[in-house]
Amino acid sequence: MARRSRAREVVLQILYQEDLNPDADPRLADEFLRARLKHDENLIQFGRYLLVGTREHRKKIDMQLERFADNWSLRRMAATDRNLLRLGAFEIIYSDTPARVAINEAVELAKRFGGKHSPQFVNGLLDRILKSIQAEGGEPA
């Protein structure tokens, strides 16, 4: 597994845990991140960037997901899919990760952690967000 892919996997696990346990101590997330990434400082910094960015932009990201998820509310989505989408949308909208890379990474995580239809669902929704940004003249990463 590529190094950054591993960081995304760990961040997904943290987002999932925080989604289901919103009162969890955020310091535990950093300890988990450090331990799972074997104290590799570059990966830890990348993981922190993804985690903090997804947390900070969560409301805006959730609004985008609701906007493009036809007949789906965030509450009805599987927790894994919901958090994969948040992470992928953060990378597409706010990071310098190339958008197609962000989508591919999210789809690969969906294959590993999601349900049977998760990869198609995640791909379709993130692609809609990307196309919307492009149509509005934005330049996603």
Side-chain angles (χ1 to χ4, degrees):
M1 174 181 297
R3 296 179 65 223
R4 285 189 161 210
S5 296
R6 177 72 179 133
R8 287 179 182 95
E9 175 184 311
V10 174
V11 170
L12 171 63
Q13 292 169 345
I14 294 169
L15 291 171
Y16 177 89
Q17 192 271 338
E18 290 177 347
D19 192 14
L20 298 181
N21 301 299
D23 296 327
D25 184 348
R27 291 175 297 193
L28 296 175
D30 196 62
E31 290 174 23
F32 181 79
L33 187 73
R34 292 187 65 74
R36 295 297 300 251
L37 296 178
K38 304 198 186 306
H39 303 285
D40 179 327
E41 288 303 319
N42 289 332
L43 279 187
I44 292 167
Q45 290 305 316
F46 179 66
R48 283 180 181 150
Y49 167 74
L50 294 176
L51 183 60
V52 169
T54 303
R55 285 173 175 160
E56 285 180 4
H57 297 285
R58 183 174 161 175
K59 286 184 182 181
K60 289 180 182 177
I61 290 169
D62 284 357
M63 289 183 349
Q64 289 294 317
L65 294 173
E66 290 273 2
R67 177 179 167 202
F68 292 104
D70 293 335
N71 303 314
W72 283 93
S73 68
L74 283 173
R75 289 184 324 267
R76 286 188 51 220
M77 291 178 195
T80 303
D81 293 352
R82 178 172 55 240
N83 288 290
L84 268 170
L85 288 164
R86 286 173 175 153
L87 179 58
F90 168 74
E91 285 200 85
I92 291 168
I93 298 168
Y94 298 104
S95 83
D96 61 356
T97 302
R100 292 290 171 198
V101 170
I103 292 171
N104 185 58
E105 290 287 331
V107 168
E108 289 303 314
L109 286 170
K111 288 176 184 176
R112 291 191 63 211
F113 295 103
K116 179 180 177 182
H117 300 289
S118 293
Q120 296 88 348
F121 180 67
V122 167
N123 183 59
L125 194 46
L126 292 178
D127 193 56
R128 283 181 174 188
I129 290 171
L130 173 59
K131 286 179 181 174
S132 170
I133 292 168
Q134 292 170 333
E136 293 169 3
E139 279 297 318

